[in-house]
Amino acid sequence: MPTASPLLAPPALDWRGTTPVDRATGDIYFNAQDGRGETEGVFLAGTGLAQTWAGRRRFTVGETGFGTGLNFLCTWDLWRRTPEARRPGRLHFVSVEGHPLTPGDLARALAAFPDLAPLARQLVRQWPPGEPGFHRRCFDDDRVALTLLFGPAAHMLSQLEARVDAWFLDGFAPAANPAMWDDAVIAELSRVSAPGARLATYTAAGAVRRTLAAHGWSVTKVPGYGAKRDRIDARFERRPGSAYPGRPWCAPPAPRADAGPVAVVGNGVAAMHITRALRAEGVETVMIGAGEPASAVPGGVAVPRLSLGDDAAARLAVRSYLHLTAPIAPDPDAAILSLAPGEGARFDRLMARFAWADDQIRPVDAATASDLLGTRSTAPGYLLPKSPLAAPYMLMPDRPGRVTALDRCGDGWRLTLADGSALDAAHVVLATGSDLALCPTPLPVRLRWGRTVCLADPPMVPRRPVSFGGHAVATPKGLWVGSTFDKTDEAGDATADLLAKMAKALPDLADALAATPAARQWRGARSTTPDHLPLVGPLFAPERVAADYAPLARDASDPRVPPLEPLPGLTLVNGLGARGYQTGPLLGELVAAQLAGAPWPVERHLAEAMHPVRFAIKALVRGQAPVGADP
């Protein structure tokens, strides 16, 4: 259990006018005389971007050394000025950074480029805290996606799944920072390079040329920029390795989203964000849904699940929350207050662990919490200036109605609706929440029932939205208090249950509300999983898994097992539990990336932890039959 923050330390900087200098290496972040000219001359022209991405619906640039983000901003600006930016599709920019700048230093450095100021302001506004791992940020109405890989270059790139079309190698000079140029880094960036990928860098060091050549790059020395005599351009002449480097049963099928329309079945938060992300990738998508979504909870709050652990569930919670709140401007006056009743010393460790900036999170003691709420709090907590009230991304289904049948049709699927109409799709994403009638693969999904009540004309309301294990939000129509997480749909009085939970942190408020009747009540079923992680990925036949992976019963590390052979054209997104508001946007990005062949927004090991086949594999390793397999 960590007791201190794992945030990556920002670099110590000196400044030469407007140019930042890394104190550890003595190297500058950009050319002091003409930083933008160097970026455009070395990287944009060196990889021939304007010509290379011509006619492309989707294009990916990779970079080692994000630094101030100047290369990203120049690439984004060039994309905006080309026809590709005005058609359905997306520019992806993937960059690794071991020591991310602070937002203040980032803004100070980029102030040297006033012509890029509108883009720089958006980047600074969405800049994540230095949490190790992947961070996806979207700009220009989702037409530009930046994926930041915070951590050591070789390790971060080893977790990347992508097909990169152009590379900028822009770490500090090889002599000053050799770890950014070593064999492991070049091997990993080559692994995720598309055939024919272009590469450019300002250096011409012999060791870099030899390492690139050893990994399949055709290297050319060309005149350098400004006073620099030489630099390198290169082209990837090999095909990337075909073997998936992770767990074989998690190997993704080949992307097929461009083979025809994708049907997203469902109308909850997950379905909405999957549809949004697929359309951002330029994929033809049809969303089909019926009835009120289970995510239509009135008066909810988006509060991160902070944990001292570092398991997949904890990492997903942090990544999802930071992704959700990235585009939101902080507003201290509207900040949600999350209380931590019964936490004791653990609360102090949590605040040390999550030492984000004050515009992300600010700890408060019980007395301050009482002042902020206007009622006595017995627990400390933390303010969340960027947390929104839970409001789903609103997208109405293209085809309202319930899908009653899903049948194989040629290379795709035919979906039959309750009104008798039909729709053919190349790929189907099932994001139907608690309704798993269409899912052909048995999975250990559990239903948990949630109830939220609206107390009309309450004698007391908190001054701001508050979370306490439940939540309370004042609206013009009353005070919404929620929500339960019941194992059955036959639980008792929801108001009494919720006020009992509230009393642990806000006893006076709970007492004042005890006699207030519920004017309205919402209830709905949520799907969860035994390990509290969503199910995200291709579906499969349990019998085939049992046959292909039988050796794992004898040796869980047997390397001879084949890649998973999934059911063709079927993806599942389910088991989001009560966290759909937070995880939905990031999971939508992941599904779209896997179907479109775009860079994944999360580390490979995190995507593997959510793969639907995991329970079948665990059963085999334990000597049990997979769920749904014949005995």
Side-chain angles (χ1 to χ4, degrees):
M1 293 292 186
T3 56
S5 175
L7 299 187
L8 297 170
L13 300 179
D14 295 318
W15 293 83
R16 297 176 189 169
T18 59
T19 305
V21 181
D22 182 68
R23 193 174 298 163
T25 64
D27 213 341
I28 58 174
Y29 276 79
F30 49 73
N31 185 307
Q33 284 70 47
D34 187 11
R36 181 168 186 175
E38 182 177 60
T39 286
E40 293 175 340
V42 172
F43 297 114
L44 276 59
T47 55
L49 284 188
Q51 298 77 38
T52 306
W53 66 35
R56 296 280 296 274
R57 178 179 297 180
R58 192 177 306 110
F59 194 88
T60 299
V61 176
E63 178 187 50
T64 57
F66 187 79
T68 64
L70 176 61
N71 294 342
F72 166 62
L73 296 183
C74 290
T75 305
W76 177 6
D77 182 61
L78 179 62
W79 177 264
R80 297 177 93 196
R81 292 185 280 112
T82 59
E84 284 68 29
R86 293 184 290 277
R87 56 190 286 181
R90 212 177 210 186
L91 170 67
H92 283 273
F93 196 99
V94 180
S95 186
V96 63
E97 177 57 61
H99 296 283
L101 272 66
T102 65
D105 285 338
L106 192 71
R108 179 179 176 183
L110 292 175
F113 307 98
D115 50 339
L116 294 173
L119 307 187
R121 283 193 295 270
Q122 296 181 57
L123 175 63
V124 173
R125 176 176 172 178
Q126 293 207 41
W127 191 243
E131 285 279 345
F134 286 24
H135 301 271
R136 168 68 55 88
R137 297 292 181 264
C138 299
F139 305 94
D140 262 357
D141 295 326
D142 285 340
R143 290 190 291 266
V144 175
L146 169 65
T147 307
L148 294 162
L149 282 54
F150 281 177
H155 175 66
M156 288 293 103
L157 290 171
S158 75
Q159 289 294 315
L160 177 64
E161 286 300 312
R163 282 294 173 263
V164 178
D165 302 297
W167 279 100
F168 303 163
L169 302 195
D170 196 21
F172 291 131
N177 192 19
M180 285 288 283
W181 305 86
D182 68 11
D183 185 81
V185 171
I186 303 301
E188 289 298 340
L189 69 84
S190 301
R191 176 184 64 82
V192 296
S193 293
R198 302 278 296 273
L199 179 150
T201 181
Y202 57 80
T203 187
V208 175
R209 299 201 308 271
R210 290 188 293 273
T211 304
L212 285 168
H215 287 282
W217 294 83
S218 175
V219 182
T220 304
K221 248 195 335 184
V222 297
Y225 184 84
K228 194 166 180 59
R229 187 176 62 182
D230 300 308
R231 64 176 187 82
I232 294 171
D233 285 349
R235 182 183 294 272
F236 192 52
E237 302 292 356
R238 292 184 190 168
R239 295 192 65 82
S242 58
Y244 176 73
R247 297 182 174 100
W249 47 89
C250 293
R256 291 192 68 248
D258 293 334
V262 174
V264 179
V265 184
N267 65 339
V269 171
M272 294 176 190
H273 283 287
I274 294 164
T275 302
R276 173 199 54 78
L278 282 168
R279 288 175 177 167
E281 296 291 350
V283 176
E284 182 185 355
T285 309
V286 178
M287 179 178 160
I288 308 170
E292 183 185 55
S295 52
V297 183
V301 296
V303 174
R305 185 181 70 85
L306 303 184
S307 170
L308 291 173
D310 192 34
D311 57 9
R315 290 193 295 272
L316 176 64
V318 170
R319 301 284 200 288
S320 298
Y321 178 77
L322 292 175
H323 179 77
L324 170 73
T325 58
I328 299 173
D331 184 355
D333 293 332
I336 293 171
L337 178 59
S338 181
L339 301 178
E343 292 286 358
R346 184 176 180 274
F347 177 78
D348 294 332
R349 296 201 300 274
L350 275 175
M351 293 300 96
R353 157 65 182 87
F354 293 96
W356 300 340
D358 281 354
D359 65 354
Q360 283 275 6
I361 189 169
R362 181 162 65 88
V364 296
D365 58 23
T368 304
S370 301
D371 291 340
L372 290 168
L373 294 171
T375 184
R376 182 168 60 98
S377 171
T378 60
Y382 42 90
L383 276 172
L384 299 163
K386 297 185 74 171
S387 271
L389 293 177
Y393 172 84
M394 293 309 298
L395 187 68
M396 299 303 294
D398 303 286
R399 293 284 294 270
R402 184 171 59 87
V403 178
T404 57
L406 186 61
D407 300 297
R408 193 76 174 135
C409 180
D411 291 335
W413 294 89
R414 175 157 294 165
L415 298 91
T416 303
L417 278 68
D419 63 3
S421 63
L423 173 74
D424 291 342
H427 198 104
V428 176
V429 181
L430 297 176
T432 54
S434 60
D435 182 3
L436 287 167
L438 295 173
C439 181
T441 303
L443 291 163
V445 174
R446 304 166 174 174
L447 296 187
R448 294 293 182 264
W449 294 86
R451 294 170 296 155
T452 300
V453 298
C454 181
L455 307 180
D457 299 321
M460 179 188 297
V461 296
R463 291 174 180 165
R464 65 177 62 237
V466 59
S467 167
F468 46 81
H471 62 265
V473 179
T475 73
K477 295 183 178 181
L479 180 68
W480 282 98
V481 183
S483 65
T484 65
F485 205 67
D486 307 318
K487 292 184 178 181
T488 72
D489 191 26
E490 300 175 354
D493 183 351
T495 303
D497 292 344
L498 290 166
L499 293 183
K501 186 182 295 186
M502 179 190 289
K504 297 177 181 178
L506 301 168
D508 296 349
L509 179 60
D511 287 345
L513 299 175
T516 306
R520 293 176 59 196
Q521 179 169 311
W522 175 91
R523 55 178 285 280
R526 303 180 177 113
S527 58
T528 67
T529 64
D531 60 7
H532 308 295
L533 281 168
L535 297 157
V536 183
L539 287 167
F540 56 91
E543 295 79 8
R544 187 61 184 263
V545 170
D548 288 350
Y549 297 102
L552 297 178
R554 298 186 299 272
D555 180 2
S557 62
D558 193 323
R560 296 169 294 175
V561 295
L564 177 72
E565 185 171 331
L567 296 175
L570 285 179
T571 294
L572 179 73
V573 179
N574 208 292
L576 278 63
R579 297 285 173 177
Y581 285 117
Q582 293 182 40
T583 59
L586 185 59
L587 296 183
E589 289 285 326
L590 175 59
V591 171
Q594 292 177 336
L595 295 187
W600 293 9
V602 300
E603 300 93 315
R604 184 177 58 251
H605 67 73
L606 186 51
E608 290 181 345
M610 295 185 283
H611 198 294
V613 81
R614 66 187 186 268
F615 294 107
I617 295 297
K618 289 176 183 177
L620 279 173
V621 170
R622 295 167 181 166
Q624 305 164 348
V627 174
D630 292 334

